[in-house]
Amino acid sequence: MVESNDSTIHAVDPRSGEILEPGYQPGSAADVDRAANAAAQAFRPYRQLDAKARAEFLDAVADGLTGIAEEIVAIVGAETGIAEPRIRGELGRTTNQLRLFAGVVRDGSYTGVRIETALPDRTPLPRPDLRQHKIPLGPVAVFGASNFPLAFSVAGGDTASALAAGCPVVVKAHPSHPGTSELVAGVITRTAADLGLPAGVFSMVHGGVEVGTALVQHPAIKAVGFTGSRAGGLALLAVANARPTPIPVYAEMSSINPVVLLPGALAERGSTIGQGFVGSLTTGVGQLCTNPGLVFAVDSPALQDFLDGAADAVQDSAAAPMLSAGICAAYDAGVQALREHPAVEEIATGADDQSLSAAGVTHLFTTTAEAFSGDPALSAEVFGASSLIVRVPDAALLPELLESLEGQLTATIHLAETDPTLTEEDLAAANELLPILQEKVGRIVVNGWPTGVDVGTAMVHGGPFPATSDGRSTSVGTLAIDRFLRPLAYQDVPSTLLPPDVR
C-alpha cells in the first residue's frame, strides 16, 4: 500500500457515529507518482506472463480472502453497518468473480483471435497474412465504491477484470471503509509477492479528490474503473479527457431503474407484486445501483391492491444504518424534496430508529403521469430506499413516458402469467415497449426485480449515459475484461515472431 505522513483518514461506524481506530494515512501526489510508475514498470513483464500464472494469481487472491473471512466480516460491519449475511454474500461474490476471471484467462478466448491467411493469387489484389488479437491497455486506476466495500472495491470486478487482462492496478481506496480496503489490499500484495510477480502489479493509495485527480492525470495510467455518483464520474471523465493523451473512463454512475406494471399483472397478483417490490427496494437499505426507484403503474381497480401491498410492506420495514452520514443526509434531502413537491403524495413510511447515527427509513410516494412528464426533477435519483410510483391512466402513454427517461442500468416489466387473455394483452403491450427499453437500458427484467446482479458470462451491468460513461461496456460478467484490452493486428509477420495465440 502507498502511504504518506499527512493527515489521517478514519472510518466512522454509521450505527453509532463512533470514530474508528486506527487511522490511515492519505497519499500525496508523490505517492501517486510512485505507485503509477511502479505499475508502468510492472506492465510489460506482467502482460507477458503465461495465462496459467495470471490465473493462479487470481485464484490465490480469492483463497486469501476466504482465509480471512472472519476478519473481513468484522471490519466491514464496523465501517459500513452492513449486516453480516450480506457481507458474507458479498465476499462470496468477490471471490467468485476472481475465480471466474481466472477461468476466462485459462480459456483464452477473450483475446479474440482472428486469422486470415495470405491469398497471394487473389485478384485484383493479393491478400496479406493477417492475424489479430487483443492485448492489455496498460496500468488501470480503480476507484473503490462506497456501497460495495468488497465486490466493487479493492478486489472487486474492475480489479479482477483488469488483472485478468494483463493490466497492473492502482486502487484509490474509498475513505468510508479504509480498514476494509487495507485488509483486502494486503491479501493482494502478499499474494503477488509470494508468487514472484513484478513489483507494482498492484498497489493502493488512500486519499480524497486530490489523490484521485492525480491518479487519473498520471501519464502511466491508461484506463479508469469507477463506481459512484454522477458528479464523481463526470469529474473523472473531465480530468481524463483533459490529459494530453485522453484515456477511457468506465464509470457506473446514476440509475433509477424503472419498473412497468402492466394491467394484467396487477389484476393477477397486485398485492404480491407490491410486497416483492418493497423487498427489492429495501435491499441494502436502498443503496444499490439497481434499486427500483421509479414505478410506472397503469391505473386500474387492481392498482390499489399493489399500492396496499407495497404500503403495508413499507410500514413493516425497519430502519437500518446507511453507509455513511453523508449518504444519509443526501438521502434525507431527496426525500424531503419529494415530500414538498405539490404533485407528490407520500403513501407510506417505514419505521425510524433514533438510536442509529445514520438511519435509513423507507419512503413510498405517488404522482400522476402528467406531473411526472412536466417536471424533470421527479426523475432524479434518490439514493436510498425511496421510490416514486407514477399512476398512468392508460397503457398507451407508457411509450412516451419511457422515451423521456435518461439511460438506465435496468428496466423491469411485470406481465400476467396465468390467465391466457391477460397474458396476451400484456405481451402485446410489452412488445411495443421493448424497442424503447433496448435503447435505454443495459438489462431488461421480466417478472422479477433488478436487485441481485448475477456474475457470469451473459450479464450486462451497464447502460447508456448517464447510467455509465460508456454504454458499450459492462462492469459485471466476463465481458468486463474487454474494457482493458485493445485490438492489435500483425501483417506478414514471420511465425517465429508472432505471439503463441496467433501462430
Side-chain angles (χ1 to χ4, degrees):
M1 281 65 71
V2 178
E3 297 181 347
S4 73
N5 295 311
D6 199 351
S7 57
T8 304
I9 295 172
H10 287 271
V12 177
D13 189 329
R15 298 165 297 191
S16 64
E18 175 189 1
I19 296 175
L20 301 176
E21 296 290 349
Y24 298 88
Q25 299 300 323
S28 64
D31 297 319
V32 170
D33 183 62
R34 181 159 54 96
N37 285 334
Q41 292 170 9
F43 174 49
R44 188 167 297 162
Y46 181 62
R47 78 173 181 86
Q48 291 177 331
L49 284 177
D50 63 24
K52 179 181 177 182
R54 258 189 283 155
E56 287 177 348
F57 177 35
L58 296 170
D59 279 336
V61 171
D63 291 341
L65 294 175
T66 301
I68 60 166
E70 300 310 314
E71 294 176 69
I72 289 175
V73 168
I75 196 165
V76 172
E79 291 188 329
T80 67
I82 296 174
E84 180 177 335
R86 188 193 142 190
I87 298 172
R88 293 190 184 278
E90 189 180 333
L91 176 59
R93 171 176 170 168
T94 305
T95 56
N96 288 343
Q97 282 181 143
L98 289 161
R99 295 189 175 103
L100 175 70
F101 281 107
V104 168
V105 173
R106 289 190 179 97
D107 173 75
S109 60
Y110 73 95
T111 61
V113 171
R114 299 173 183 226
I115 296 176
E116 293 182 305
T117 56
L119 296 174
D121 297 327
R122 189 182 70 175
T123 59
L125 294 172
R127 184 178 76 188
D129 184 274
L130 291 169
R131 295 159 192 259
Q132 179 195 117
H133 69 169
K134 297 174 184 176
I135 64 170
L137 289 177
V140 173
V142 171
F143 286 72
S146 64
N147 58 339
F148 281 91
L150 299 171
F152 282 87
S153 288
V154 177
D158 288 344
T159 297
S161 55
L163 291 174
C167 300
V169 171
V170 181
V171 170
K172 195 202 78 78
H174 197 281
S176 291
H177 40 78
T180 300
S181 300
E182 193 81 11
L183 190 62
V184 173
V187 169
I188 303 174
T189 52
R190 288 192 299 272
T191 302
D194 291 345
L195 295 176
L197 297 182
V201 72
F202 174 86
S203 57
M204 187 182 80
V205 59
H206 294 281
V209 173
E210 297 82 3
V211 166
T213 300
L215 185 56
V216 176
Q217 288 174 331
H218 199 284
I221 297 300
K222 303 304 181 185
V224 177
F226 170 85
T227 299
S229 69
R230 186 188 305 199
L234 293 180
L236 294 182
L237 195 63
V239 171
N241 287 335
R243 288 172 36 139
T245 303
I247 57 173
V249 174
Y250 297 104
E252 185 217 301
M253 299 180 290
S254 176
S255 186
I256 54 175
N257 308 297
V259 176
V260 177
L261 306 181
L262 293 175
L266 289 170
E268 269 190 357
R269 58 188 196 282
S271 179
T272 301
I273 293 174
Q275 293 167 11
F277 158 63
V278 175
S280 177
L281 176 66
T282 56
T283 299
V285 204
Q287 300 164 114
L288 305 183
C289 40
T290 54
N291 187 51
L294 178 66
V295 179
F296 294 115
V298 178
D299 221 340
S300 68
L303 175 56
Q304 194 59 48
D305 291 338
F306 166 78
L307 295 174
D308 290 344
D312 289 345
V314 166
Q315 289 163 3
D316 290 340
S317 66
M322 299 192 78
L323 293 161
S324 69
I327 288 174
C328 186
Y331 172 64
D332 288 343
V335 166
Q336 190 60 31
L338 287 172
R339 278 179 166 162
E340 294 174 354
H341 195 287
V344 173
E345 176 189 0
E346 184 168 16
I347 62 169
T349 304
D352 198 353
D353 187 343
Q354 296 296 325
S355 71
L356 296 175
S357 174
V361 178
T362 310
H363 298 272
L364 196 58
F365 299 91
T366 65
T367 191
T368 65
E370 181 181 9
F372 182 84
S373 298
D375 190 349
L378 292 179
S379 60
E381 180 183 31
V382 179
F383 190 64
S386 168
S387 191
L388 178 65
I389 300 168
V390 180
R391 295 174 179 264
V392 183
D394 192 305
L397 293 175
L398 288 171
E400 179 183 344
L401 291 167
L402 293 175
E403 288 277 17
S404 72
L405 296 178
E406 297 179 312
Q408 306 291 331
L409 293 173
T410 76
T412 300
I413 303 176
H414 277 269
L415 312 170
E417 295 180 303
T418 58
D419 184 309
T421 302
L422 295 176
T423 300
E424 184 177 352
E425 292 172 354
D426 280 2
L427 284 171
N431 195 48
E432 290 188 38
L433 303 180
L434 277 176
I436 300 169
L437 296 179
Q438 288 166 349
E439 298 172 11
K440 291 287 184 179
V441 309
R443 176 165 56 110
I444 297 171
V445 181
V446 172
N447 288 349
W449 299 105
T451 45
V453 181
D454 191 71
V455 179
T457 57
M459 178 54 68
V460 172
H461 189 60
F465 184 88
T468 65
S469 57
D470 188 335
R472 297 168 296 178
S473 65
T474 175
S475 61
V476 176
T478 55
L479 190 63
I481 196 172
D482 277 4
R483 298 174 297 168
F484 307 120
L485 299 166
R486 67 174 179 88
L488 175 65
Y490 303 86
Q491 181 172 327
D492 291 330
V493 175
S495 178
T496 55
L497 295 179
L498 287 170
D501 61 339
V502 292
R503 283 177 192 164

